Amino acid sequence: MVDADAARLTARITREGQEDRVALEEPLEIRVDGAPLAVTMRTPGHDEELALGFLYGEGLIDRPHRAGLTDDLAANIVEVDGPLLRDPGERRFYTTSSCGVCGKGALEEVAVQCPVVARGPVVARALLAALPDRLRQPAFDLTGGVHATGLFDVEGTLLYAREDVGRHNAMDKVVGRALLDGLLPLRDRLLCVSGRLSFELVQKAAVAGAPVLVGVGAPSSLAVELAADRGLTLGGFARRGKVNVYTGLERLAR
Amino acid sequence: MVDADAARLTARITREGQEDRVALEEPLEIRVDGAPLAVTMRTPGHDEELALGFLYGEGLIDRPHRAGLTDDLAANIVEVDGPLLRDPGERRFYTTSSCGVCGKGALEEVAVQCPVVARGPVVARALLAALPDRLRQPAFDLTGGVHATGLFDVEGTLLYAREDVGRHNAMDKVVGRALLDGLLPLRDRLLCVSGRLSFELVQKAAVAGAPVLVGVGAPSSLAVELAADRGLTLGGFARRGKVNVYTGLERLAR
Protein backbone atom coordinates (compact mmCIF):
# COMPACT_ATOMS: atom_id res chain seq x y z
CA MET A 1 0.00 0.00 0.00
CA VAL A 2 1.31 3.39 -1.00
CA ASP A 3 0.68 6.35 1.32
CA ALA A 4 -1.73 8.53 -0.67
CA ASP A 5 -0.37 11.84 0.65
CA ALA A 6 3.18 10.76 -0.11
CA ALA A 7 2.20 9.52 -3.58
CA ARG A 8 1.00 13.03 -4.42
CA LEU A 9 4.61 14.20 -3.99
CA THR A 10 5.77 11.75 -6.65
CA ALA A 11 5.35 11.11 -10.37
CA ARG A 12 4.97 7.74 -12.05
CA ILE A 13 7.43 7.11 -14.83
CA THR A 14 8.38 4.20 -17.02
CA ARG A 15 12.03 3.24 -16.78
CA GLU A 16 13.29 0.57 -19.15
CA GLY A 17 9.79 -0.87 -19.41
CA GLN A 18 9.14 -0.93 -15.69
CA GLU A 19 7.00 1.36 -13.59
CA ASP A 20 8.94 3.56 -11.20
CA ARG A 21 8.33 6.66 -9.12
CA VAL A 22 10.39 9.82 -8.85
CA ALA A 23 10.02 12.91 -6.67
CA LEU A 24 7.85 15.56 -8.24
CA GLU A 25 9.65 18.83 -9.07
CA GLU A 26 7.91 21.91 -10.48
CA PRO A 27 8.70 25.62 -10.37
CA LEU A 28 6.68 27.85 -8.04
CA GLU A 29 6.39 31.59 -8.44
CA ILE A 30 5.73 33.57 -5.27
CA ARG A 31 3.82 36.80 -5.87
CA VAL A 32 3.09 39.47 -3.29
CA ASP A 33 0.16 41.76 -4.07
CA GLY A 34 0.45 40.57 -7.67
CA ALA A 35 4.15 41.34 -8.08
CA PRO A 36 6.51 38.41 -8.79
CA LEU A 37 9.06 38.09 -5.98
CA ALA A 38 10.81 34.74 -6.40
CA VAL A 39 10.78 31.45 -8.27
CA THR A 40 11.82 28.23 -6.59
CA MET A 41 11.90 24.64 -7.79
CA ARG A 42 9.85 22.66 -5.32
CA THR A 43 7.71 19.58 -4.79
CA PRO A 44 4.06 20.72 -5.14
CA GLY A 45 1.98 20.66 -1.96
CA HIS A 46 1.84 22.94 1.08
CA ASP A 47 2.67 25.84 -1.23
CA GLU A 48 1.07 28.45 1.02
CA GLU A 49 3.29 27.27 3.86
CA LEU A 50 6.29 27.41 1.56
CA ALA A 51 5.55 30.99 0.53
CA LEU A 52 4.91 32.19 4.07
CA GLY A 53 7.91 30.35 5.50
CA PHE A 54 10.13 31.77 2.78
CA LEU A 55 8.92 35.33 3.40
CA TYR A 56 9.31 34.89 7.16
CA GLY A 57 12.86 33.60 6.75
CA GLU A 58 13.72 36.59 4.59
CA GLY A 59 12.41 38.97 7.26
CA LEU A 60 9.66 40.16 4.92
CA ILE A 61 6.68 39.18 7.14
CA ASP A 62 6.33 38.53 10.87
CA ARG A 63 2.75 37.23 11.09
CA PRO A 64 0.44 35.04 8.98
CA HIS A 65 -0.68 36.61 5.70
CA ARG A 66 -3.40 35.35 3.41
CA ALA A 67 -1.88 33.12 0.73
CA GLY A 68 -3.16 30.72 -1.90
CA LEU A 69 -2.51 29.19 -5.29
CA THR A 70 -4.13 30.89 -8.25
CA ASP A 71 -7.18 29.14 -9.72
CA ASP A 72 -5.15 27.50 -12.48
CA LEU A 73 -3.17 25.12 -10.29
CA ALA A 74 -0.92 24.12 -13.20
CA ALA A 75 0.28 27.71 -13.38
CA ASN A 76 2.27 27.11 -10.17
CA ILE A 77 1.72 30.60 -8.81
CA VAL A 78 1.08 31.35 -5.16
CA GLU A 79 -0.32 34.77 -4.32
CA VAL A 80 0.40 36.36 -0.95
CA ASP A 81 -1.31 39.45 0.41
CA GLY A 82 1.00 42.24 1.57
CA PRO A 83 2.16 44.49 2.96
CA LEU A 84 5.76 43.40 3.45
CA LEU A 85 7.93 44.72 6.27
CA ARG A 86 10.52 46.11 3.86
CA ASP A 87 11.15 46.56 0.17
CA PRO A 88 12.07 43.09 -1.14
CA GLY A 89 14.09 44.77 -3.90
CA GLU A 90 16.81 45.67 -1.40
CA ARG A 91 19.61 43.35 -2.26
CA ARG A 92 21.23 41.52 0.56
CA PHE A 93 24.81 40.93 1.69
CA TYR A 94 26.56 43.41 -0.50
CA THR A 95 24.48 46.41 0.47
CA THR A 96 24.64 45.82 4.23
CA SER A 97 28.22 44.68 4.50
CA SER A 98 31.03 47.16 4.21
CA CYS A 99 33.62 44.43 3.69
CA GLY A 100 32.43 42.85 0.48
CA VAL A 101 30.62 39.60 1.03
CA CYS A 102 32.76 37.83 3.59
CA GLY A 103 31.35 35.27 5.98
CA LYS A 104 31.43 37.91 8.74
CA GLY A 105 29.12 40.07 6.66
CA ALA A 106 26.73 37.17 6.23
CA LEU A 107 26.68 36.54 10.00
CA GLU A 108 26.07 40.24 10.70
CA GLU A 109 23.19 40.26 8.26
CA VAL A 110 21.46 37.45 10.13
CA ALA A 111 22.21 39.18 13.44
CA VAL A 112 20.38 42.27 12.21
CA GLN A 113 17.45 40.09 11.19
CA CYS A 114 17.01 38.04 14.37
CA PRO A 115 18.07 38.14 18.04
CA VAL A 116 20.09 35.43 19.77
CA VAL A 117 17.69 32.52 20.26
CA ALA A 118 16.14 32.03 23.67
CA ARG A 119 17.99 29.86 26.21
CA GLY A 120 15.38 27.20 25.61
CA PRO A 121 15.22 23.60 26.74
CA VAL A 122 17.78 21.16 28.12
CA VAL A 123 17.62 17.90 26.18
CA ALA A 124 19.30 14.53 26.30
CA ARG A 125 21.93 13.81 23.68
CA ALA A 126 20.21 10.50 22.99
CA LEU A 127 17.01 12.34 22.11
CA LEU A 128 18.82 14.53 19.56
CA ALA A 129 20.42 11.45 18.05
CA ALA A 130 17.01 9.78 17.75
CA LEU A 131 15.21 12.61 15.96
CA PRO A 132 16.03 11.42 12.40
CA ASP A 133 14.46 8.05 13.18
CA ARG A 134 11.28 9.83 14.26
CA LEU A 135 11.15 11.99 11.13
CA ARG A 136 8.56 10.36 8.88
CA GLN A 137 9.67 10.37 5.24
CA PRO A 138 7.06 8.48 3.21
CA ALA A 139 7.89 10.22 -0.09
CA PHE A 140 11.57 9.45 0.41
CA ASP A 141 10.65 5.83 0.99
CA LEU A 142 8.92 5.87 -2.42
CA THR A 143 11.57 7.73 -4.39
CA GLY A 144 14.83 8.24 -2.47
CA GLY A 145 14.66 11.74 -3.88
CA VAL A 146 13.32 14.21 -1.31
CA HIS A 147 14.67 16.02 1.71
CA ALA A 148 12.69 16.35 4.91
CA THR A 149 12.39 18.75 7.83
CA GLY A 150 10.56 17.90 11.04
CA LEU A 151 9.45 19.96 14.02
CA PHE A 152 9.44 18.22 17.40
CA ASP A 153 8.48 19.12 20.95
CA VAL A 154 11.01 18.75 23.75
CA GLU A 155 9.90 15.18 24.40
CA GLY A 156 10.79 14.36 20.80
CA THR A 157 7.22 13.99 19.58
CA LEU A 158 6.91 14.90 15.92
CA LEU A 159 4.56 17.87 15.46
CA TYR A 160 4.83 17.91 11.67
CA ALA A 161 7.14 16.96 8.85
CA ARG A 162 7.46 18.20 5.29
CA GLU A 163 9.25 16.65 2.32
CA ASP A 164 10.54 18.46 -0.76
CA VAL A 165 13.16 18.09 -3.50
CA GLY A 166 14.71 21.28 -2.07
CA ARG A 167 16.02 21.11 1.47
CA HIS A 168 15.36 24.83 1.98
CA ASN A 169 11.77 24.33 0.80
CA ALA A 170 11.12 21.57 3.33
CA MET A 171 12.37 23.94 6.05
CA ASP A 172 10.29 26.85 4.69
CA LYS A 173 7.17 24.68 4.70
CA VAL A 174 7.67 23.72 8.34
CA VAL A 175 8.35 27.33 9.35
CA GLY A 176 5.31 28.49 7.38
CA ARG A 177 3.12 25.90 9.12
CA ALA A 178 4.50 27.00 12.49
CA LEU A 179 3.74 30.62 11.61
CA LEU A 180 0.15 29.75 10.75
CA ASP A 181 -0.18 27.77 13.99
CA GLY A 182 1.15 30.62 16.13
CA LEU A 183 4.26 28.68 17.16
CA LEU A 184 6.87 31.30 16.21
CA PRO A 185 9.38 31.98 17.66
CA LEU A 186 9.88 28.27 18.24
CA ARG A 187 11.53 28.64 21.71
CA ASP A 188 11.40 25.13 23.18
CA ARG A 189 10.90 23.10 20.02
CA LEU A 190 13.43 21.13 18.01
CA LEU A 191 14.11 21.09 14.27
CA CYS A 192 15.58 18.11 12.43
CA VAL A 193 16.61 17.89 8.78
CA SER A 194 17.35 14.79 6.72
CA GLY A 195 20.53 16.08 5.10
CA ARG A 196 23.45 18.41 5.48
CA LEU A 197 23.52 21.63 7.47
CA SER A 198 24.28 24.66 5.31
CA PHE A 199 24.42 28.31 6.32
CA GLU A 200 21.02 28.78 4.71
CA LEU A 201 19.31 26.14 6.87
CA VAL A 202 20.83 27.48 10.09
CA GLN A 203 19.73 30.97 9.06
CA LYS A 204 16.14 29.86 8.57
CA ALA A 205 16.18 27.99 11.90
CA ALA A 206 17.67 30.98 13.71
CA VAL A 207 15.15 33.43 12.26
CA ALA A 208 12.39 31.03 13.36
CA GLY A 209 13.86 31.13 16.89
CA ALA A 210 14.70 27.42 17.04
CA PRO A 211 17.04 26.61 19.95
CA VAL A 212 18.05 23.25 18.46
CA LEU A 213 18.77 22.11 14.89
CA VAL A 214 19.90 18.57 14.17
CA GLY A 215 20.86 17.10 10.81
CA VAL A 216 21.67 13.65 9.50
CA GLY A 217 24.53 15.12 7.47
CA ALA A 218 27.58 17.30 8.00
CA PRO A 219 27.55 21.01 8.82
CA SER A 220 29.56 23.59 6.88
CA SER A 221 31.99 26.00 8.53
CA LEU A 222 29.62 28.94 8.16
CA ALA A 223 26.73 26.89 9.53
CA VAL A 224 28.75 26.20 12.69
CA GLU A 225 29.79 29.86 12.95
CA LEU A 226 26.25 31.11 12.55
CA ALA A 227 24.85 28.62 15.06
CA ALA A 228 27.48 29.75 17.60
CA ASP A 229 26.77 33.40 16.88
CA ARG A 230 22.99 33.11 17.27
CA GLY A 231 23.10 30.67 20.19
CA LEU A 232 21.68 27.55 18.53
CA THR A 233 22.52 24.03 19.54
CA LEU A 234 23.71 22.46 16.28
CA GLY A 235 23.97 18.69 15.90
CA GLY A 236 25.24 16.83 12.85
CA PHE A 237 25.79 13.24 11.70
CA ALA A 238 22.79 12.15 13.79
CA ARG A 239 22.83 8.42 13.02
CA ARG A 240 22.71 5.11 14.82
CA GLY A 241 22.16 6.59 18.27
CA LYS A 242 24.97 9.13 18.01
CA VAL A 243 25.18 12.82 17.21
CA ASN A 244 28.06 15.31 16.93
CA VAL A 245 27.20 18.49 18.80
CA TYR A 246 29.04 21.53 17.45
CA THR A 247 27.58 24.47 19.38
CA GLY A 248 25.20 25.22 22.24
CA LEU A 249 26.46 22.43 24.51
CA GLU A 250 24.78 24.11 27.48
CA ARG A 251 21.46 22.63 26.33
CA LEU A 252 22.72 19.05 26.66
CA ALA A 253 21.44 17.29 29.79
CA ARG A 254 24.22 15.98 32.04
CA MET B 1 48.42 12.29 5.79
CA VAL B 2 45.84 14.82 4.77
CA ASP B 3 45.62 15.82 1.11
CA ALA B 4 46.82 19.45 1.12
CA ASP B 5 44.53 20.56 -1.70
CA ALA B 6 41.54 18.94 -0.02
CA ALA B 7 42.47 20.43 3.36
CA ARG B 8 42.18 23.89 1.81
CA LEU B 9 38.49 23.18 1.23
CA THR B 10 37.96 22.56 4.94
CA ALA B 11 38.13 24.45 8.23
CA ARG B 12 39.51 23.13 11.51
CA ILE B 13 37.11 23.42 14.40
CA THR B 14 37.03 22.26 17.99
CA ARG B 15 34.03 20.09 18.81
CA GLU B 16 33.57 19.10 22.42
CA GLY B 17 37.27 19.50 23.07
CA GLN B 18 38.37 17.51 20.03
CA GLU B 19 39.74 18.70 16.75
CA ASP B 20 37.47 18.17 13.78
CA ARG B 21 37.16 19.40 10.22
CA VAL B 22 34.14 20.77 8.39
CA ALA B 23 33.63 21.83 4.80
CA LEU B 24 34.46 25.47 4.21
CA GLU B 25 31.52 27.65 3.18
CA GLU B 26 31.80 31.35 2.28
CA PRO B 27 29.74 33.67 0.10
CA LEU B 28 31.08 34.65 -3.31
CA GLU B 29 29.94 37.68 -5.23
CA ILE B 30 30.23 37.49 -9.00
CA ARG B 31 30.73 40.87 -10.66
CA VAL B 32 30.75 41.54 -14.39
CA ASP B 33 32.53 44.73 -15.46
CA GLY B 34 32.23 45.87 -11.86
CA ALA B 35 28.48 45.33 -11.53
CA PRO B 36 27.28 42.76 -8.94
CA LEU B 37 25.42 39.95 -10.68
CA ALA B 38 24.95 37.13 -8.17
CA VAL B 39 25.96 35.88 -4.75
CA THR B 40 26.39 32.19 -4.07
CA MET B 41 27.46 30.28 -0.97
CA ARG B 42 30.39 28.15 -2.04
CA THR B 43 33.55 26.41 -0.93
CA PRO B 44 36.46 28.73 -1.77
CA GLY B 45 38.80 27.59 -4.53
CA HIS B 46 38.49 27.51 -8.31
CA ASP B 47 36.37 30.64 -8.07
CA GLU B 48 37.17 31.80 -11.60
CA GLU B 49 35.92 28.46 -12.91
CA LEU B 50 32.81 28.81 -10.77
CA ALA B 51 32.06 32.27 -12.14
CA LEU B 52 32.66 31.29 -15.76
CA GLY B 53 30.74 28.02 -15.46
CA PHE B 54 27.82 29.84 -13.85
CA LEU B 55 27.73 32.49 -16.58
CA TYR B 56 27.99 29.82 -19.29
CA GLY B 57 25.15 27.83 -17.75
CA GLU B 58 22.98 30.94 -17.68
CA GLY B 59 23.67 31.55 -21.37
CA LEU B 60 25.47 34.80 -20.55
CA ILE B 61 28.84 33.87 -22.11
CA ASP B 62 29.88 31.34 -24.75
CA ARG B 63 33.68 31.61 -24.62
CA PRO B 64 36.35 32.10 -21.93
CA HIS B 65 36.40 35.56 -20.36
CA ARG B 66 39.08 37.01 -18.11
CA ALA B 67 38.15 36.42 -14.47
CA GLY B 68 39.87 36.70 -11.12
CA LEU B 69 39.41 37.35 -7.43
CA THR B 70 39.92 40.92 -6.28
CA ASP B 71 43.19 41.62 -4.45
CA ASP B 72 41.58 41.33 -1.03
CA LEU B 73 40.89 37.60 -1.13
CA ALA B 74 38.82 37.76 2.07
CA ALA B 75 36.37 40.02 0.25
CA ASN B 76 35.18 36.97 -1.73
CA ILE B 77 34.57 38.89 -4.92
CA VAL B 78 35.34 37.51 -8.38
CA GLU B 79 35.49 39.99 -11.23
CA VAL B 80 34.66 38.89 -14.77
CA ASP B 81 35.28 40.97 -17.87
CA GLY B 82 32.29 41.46 -20.14
CA PRO B 83 30.57 41.85 -22.43
CA LEU B 84 27.70 39.43 -21.75
CA LEU B 85 25.57 37.94 -24.52
CA ARG B 86 22.37 39.40 -23.09
CA ASP B 87 21.15 41.68 -20.32
CA PRO B 88 21.40 39.61 -17.12
CA GLY B 89 18.61 41.71 -15.67
CA GLU B 90 16.07 39.88 -17.85
CA ARG B 91 14.23 37.69 -15.45
CA ARG B 92 13.73 34.12 -16.44
CA PHE B 93 10.78 31.73 -16.56
CA TYR B 94 7.97 34.18 -16.05
CA THR B 95 8.95 36.53 -18.81
CA THR B 96 9.47 33.87 -21.46
CA SER B 97 6.63 31.53 -20.56
CA SER B 98 3.10 32.45 -21.43
CA CYS B 99 1.66 29.82 -19.09
CA GLY B 100 2.91 31.02 -15.76
CA VAL B 101 5.84 29.02 -14.49
CA CYS B 102 4.83 25.47 -15.24
CA GLY B 103 7.37 22.73 -15.81
CA LYS B 104 6.70 22.95 -19.54
CA GLY B 105 7.77 26.59 -19.46
CA ALA B 106 10.98 25.63 -17.70
CA LEU B 107 11.71 22.98 -20.36
CA GLU B 108 11.01 25.46 -23.15
CA GLU B 109 13.34 27.97 -21.61
CA VAL B 110 16.22 25.47 -21.65
CA ALA B 111 15.31 24.50 -25.22
CA VAL B 112 15.72 28.13 -26.29
CA GLN B 113 19.07 28.21 -24.57
CA CYS B 114 20.62 25.03 -25.94
CA PRO B 115 20.09 22.55 -28.77
CA VAL B 116 19.43 18.84 -28.32
CA VAL B 117 22.77 17.31 -27.31
CA ALA B 118 24.81 15.50 -29.93
CA ARG B 119 24.22 11.79 -30.46
CA GLY B 120 27.51 11.18 -28.73
CA PRO B 121 29.14 7.97 -27.54
CA VAL B 122 27.82 4.48 -26.87
CA VAL B 123 28.91 3.31 -23.44
CA ALA B 124 28.61 0.21 -21.32
CA ARG B 125 26.12 0.28 -18.49
CA ALA B 126 28.82 -1.07 -16.19
CA LEU B 127 30.98 1.94 -16.98
CA LEU B 128 28.21 4.37 -16.01
CA ALA B 129 27.66 2.45 -12.78
CA ALA B 130 31.38 2.66 -11.99
CA LEU B 131 31.78 6.42 -12.46
CA PRO B 132 31.00 7.35 -8.80
CA ASP B 133 33.79 5.04 -7.63
CA ARG B 134 36.19 6.84 -9.95
CA LEU B 135 35.13 10.29 -8.73
CA ARG B 136 37.86 11.37 -6.30
CA GLN B 137 36.36 13.13 -3.27
CA PRO B 138 39.20 13.91 -0.86
CA ALA B 139 37.40 16.81 0.86
CA PHE B 140 34.34 14.62 1.36
CA ASP B 141 36.59 12.01 2.92
CA LEU B 142 37.76 14.64 5.42
CA THR B 143 34.37 16.19 6.23
CA GLY B 144 31.42 14.25 4.79
CA GLY B 145 30.11 17.68 3.84
CA VAL B 146 30.77 18.40 0.17
CA HIS B 147 29.24 17.45 -3.15
CA ALA B 148 31.35 16.54 -6.15
CA THR B 149 31.13 16.64 -9.93
CA GLY B 150 33.53 14.82 -12.21
CA LEU B 151 34.18 14.95 -15.96
CA PHE B 152 35.26 11.71 -17.62
CA ASP B 153 36.25 10.65 -21.10
CA VAL B 154 34.39 7.80 -22.82
CA GLU B 155 36.80 5.26 -21.38
CA GLY B 156 35.83 6.43 -17.91
CA THR B 157 39.10 8.20 -17.16
CA LEU B 158 38.62 11.11 -14.79
CA LEU B 159 39.62 14.38 -16.46
CA TYR B 160 38.88 16.56 -13.43
CA ALA B 161 36.74 16.68 -10.35
CA ARG B 162 35.56 19.56 -8.19
CA GLU B 163 34.09 19.51 -4.69
CA ASP B 164 31.87 22.16 -3.13
CA VAL B 165 29.24 22.56 -0.39
CA GLY B 166 26.83 23.46 -3.21
CA ARG B 167 26.10 20.77 -5.79
CA HIS B 168 25.43 23.40 -8.47
CA ASN B 169 28.77 25.05 -7.68
CA ALA B 170 30.70 21.80 -8.15
CA MET B 171 29.03 21.46 -11.56
CA ASP B 172 29.71 25.11 -12.46
CA LYS B 173 33.40 24.68 -11.57
CA VAL B 174 33.73 21.65 -13.85
CA VAL B 175 31.92 23.43 -16.69
CA GLY B 176 34.05 26.54 -16.17
CA ARG B 177 37.24 24.45 -16.32
CA ALA B 178 35.99 22.75 -19.48
CA LEU B 179 35.25 26.15 -21.00
CA LEU B 180 38.79 27.35 -20.25
CA ASP B 181 40.21 24.13 -21.70
CA GLY B 182 38.21 24.44 -24.94
CA LEU B 183 36.17 21.30 -24.23
CA LEU B 184 32.69 22.80 -24.69
CA PRO B 185 30.31 21.52 -25.92
CA LEU B 186 31.28 18.31 -24.14
CA ARG B 187 30.07 15.94 -26.93
CA ASP B 188 31.65 12.57 -26.07
CA ARG B 189 32.45 13.15 -22.42
CA LEU B 190 30.58 11.99 -19.33
CA LEU B 191 29.50 13.91 -16.23
CA CYS B 192 28.99 12.32 -12.83
CA VAL B 193 27.68 13.93 -9.65
CA SER B 194 27.85 12.63 -6.09
CA GLY B 195 24.25 13.36 -5.16
CA ARG B 196 20.75 13.76 -6.48
CA LEU B 197 19.75 14.88 -9.95
CA SER B 198 17.69 18.05 -9.92
CA PHE B 199 16.35 20.04 -12.86
CA GLU B 200 19.11 22.57 -12.27
CA LEU B 201 21.92 20.02 -12.65
CA VAL B 202 20.44 18.53 -15.82
CA GLN B 203 20.03 22.05 -17.19
CA LYS B 204 23.70 22.85 -16.59
CA ALA B 205 24.77 19.53 -18.14
CA ALA B 206 22.51 20.09 -21.16
CA VAL B 207 23.78 23.62 -21.76
CA ALA B 208 27.33 22.25 -21.57
CA GLY B 209 26.38 19.72 -24.25
CA ALA B 210 26.98 16.64 -22.10
CA PRO B 211 25.48 13.48 -23.65
CA VAL B 212 25.59 11.57 -20.35
CA LEU B 213 24.91 12.60 -16.75
CA VAL B 214 25.07 10.05 -13.95
CA GLY B 215 24.29 10.61 -10.27
CA VAL B 216 24.62 8.59 -7.10
CA GLY B 217 21.19 9.79 -5.99
CA ALA B 218 17.66 9.96 -7.31
CA PRO B 219 16.42 12.16 -10.16
CA SER B 220 13.39 14.43 -9.88
CA SER B 221 10.47 14.30 -12.30
CA LEU B 222 11.53 17.50 -14.04
CA ALA B 223 15.12 16.28 -14.29
CA VAL B 224 13.91 13.19 -16.15
CA GLU B 225 11.65 15.28 -18.40
CA LEU B 226 14.41 17.72 -19.25
CA ALA B 227 16.92 14.96 -19.96
CA ALA B 228 14.39 13.31 -22.32
CA ASP B 229 13.64 16.63 -24.00
CA ARG B 230 17.27 17.58 -24.60
CA GLY B 231 18.43 14.06 -25.46
CA LEU B 232 20.69 13.31 -22.50
CA THR B 233 21.30 9.85 -21.11
CA LEU B 234 20.38 10.21 -17.44
CA GLY B 235 21.48 7.63 -14.89
CA GLY B 236 20.60 7.61 -11.19
CA PHE B 237 21.26 5.50 -8.10
CA ALA B 238 24.67 4.58 -9.51
CA ARG B 239 25.91 2.34 -6.71
CA ARG B 240 27.46 -1.09 -6.20
CA GLY B 241 27.85 -1.84 -9.88
CA LYS B 242 24.31 -0.86 -10.82
CA VAL B 243 22.66 2.18 -12.33
CA ASN B 244 19.07 3.09 -13.21
CA VAL B 245 18.94 4.59 -16.69
CA TYR B 246 15.96 6.91 -17.17
CA THR B 247 16.47 8.41 -20.62
CA GLY B 248 18.74 8.15 -23.65
CA LEU B 249 18.89 4.34 -23.66
CA GLU B 250 20.20 4.42 -27.24
CA ARG B 251 23.65 5.25 -25.84
CA LEU B 252 23.84 1.99 -23.86
CA ALA B 253 26.05 -0.65 -25.47
CA ARG B 254 24.24 -3.94 -26.16
Side-chain angles (χ1 to χ4, degrees), chain A residues 96-112:
Chain A
T96 54
S97 162
S98 57
C99 65
V101 289
C102 64
K104 186 157 167 285
L107 299 185
E108 284 168 356
E109 172 123 5
V110 180
V112 167

Side-chain angles (χ1 to χ4, degrees), chain A residues 11 13-16 20 22-29 31 36-39 41 72 74-77 91-94 99-104 106 125 140 143-147 164-165 167 194 196-200 217-225 237 239 243-246 249 252, chain B residues 11 13-16 20 22-29 31 36-39 41 72 74-77 91-94 99-104 106 125 140 143-147 164-165 167 194 196-200 217-225 237 239 243-246 249 252:
Chain A
I13 61 165
T14 302
R15 174 175 58 78
E16 300 188 63
D20 198 359
V22 292
L24 208 48
E25 180 183 34
E26 289 272 332
L28 178 72
E29 178 174 305
R31 293 187 182 170
L37 184 77
V39 173
M41 287 290 180
D72 177 9
N76 284 322
I77 296 169
R91 299 177 86 174
R92 300 176 61 191
F93 287 125
Y94 34 84
C99 65
V101 289
C102 64
K104 186 157 167 285
R125 180 186 287 269
F140 178 85
T143 66
V146 286
H147 296 278
D164 200 289
V165 286
R167 69 188 74 203
S194 61
R196 296 176 190 175
L197 296 156
S198 64
F199 172 81
E200 190 182 20
S220 72
S221 63
L222 207 52
V224 173
E225 285 182 61
F237 293 104
R239 302 169 191 174
V243 59
N244 290 353
V245 181
Y246 297 87
L249 295 160
L252 288 185
Chain B
I13 61 165
T14 302
R15 174 177 58 77
E16 302 189 61
D20 197 0
V22 292
L24 207 49
E25 181 183 33
E26 289 272 330
L28 178 72
E29 178 174 305
R31 292 186 182 170
L37 184 77
V39 173
M41 286 289 179
D72 176 8
N76 285 320
I77 296 169
R91 300 176 85 173
R92 300 175 64 189
F93 287 125
Y94 33 84
C99 65
V101 288
C102 65
K104 185 156 167 287
R125 178 188 287 270
F140 178 85
T143 66
V146 285
H147 296 276
D164 199 289
V165 287
R167 70 187 73 204
S194 60
R196 297 177 190 175
L197 296 156
S198 64
F199 172 82
E200 190 182 20
S220 71
S221 62
L222 206 52
V224 173
E225 286 181 60
F237 293 104
R239 303 169 189 173
V243 60
N244 290 353
V245 180
Y246 296 87
L249 295 159
L252 289 184

Side-chain angles (χ1 to χ4, degrees), chain A residues 11-89:
Chain A
R12 284 175 199 272
I13 61 165
T14 302
R15 174 175 58 78
E16 300 188 63
Q18 296 198 318
E19 192 178 278
D20 198 359
R21 280 182 196 268
V22 292
L24 208 48
E25 180 183 34
E26 289 272 332
L28 178 72
E29 178 174 305
I30 300 171
R31 293 187 182 170
V32 178
D33 287 340
L37 184 77
V39 173
T40 182
M41 287 290 180
R42 100 303 189 194
T43 299
H46 301 294
D47 290 320
E48 301 82 355
E49 296 174 356
L50 171 55
L52 294 179
F54 170 78
L55 294 172
Y56 190 91
E58 294 292 309
L60 292 168
I61 62 173
D62 60 0
R63 57 179 179 78
H65 284 231
R66 209 166 60 154
L69 287 168
T70 54
D71 289 340
D72 177 9
L73 294 182
N76 284 322
I77 296 169
V78 61
E79 296 263 22
V80 183
D81 286 354
L84 299 179
L85 295 173
R86 62 174 173 81
D87 176 3

Side-chain angles (χ1 to χ4, degrees), chain A residues 109-152:
Chain A
E109 172 123 5
V110 180
V112 167
Q113 208 184 340
C114 75
V116 169
V117 298
R119 182 69 194 260
V122 171
V123 289
R125 180 186 287 269
L127 175 62
L128 299 189
L131 292 182
D133 294 332
R134 302 182 181 195
L135 180 56
R136 283 189 66 245
Q137 298 185 66
F140 178 85
D141 295 339
L142 288 174
T143 66
V146 286
H147 296 278
T149 297
L151 183 68
F152 297 84

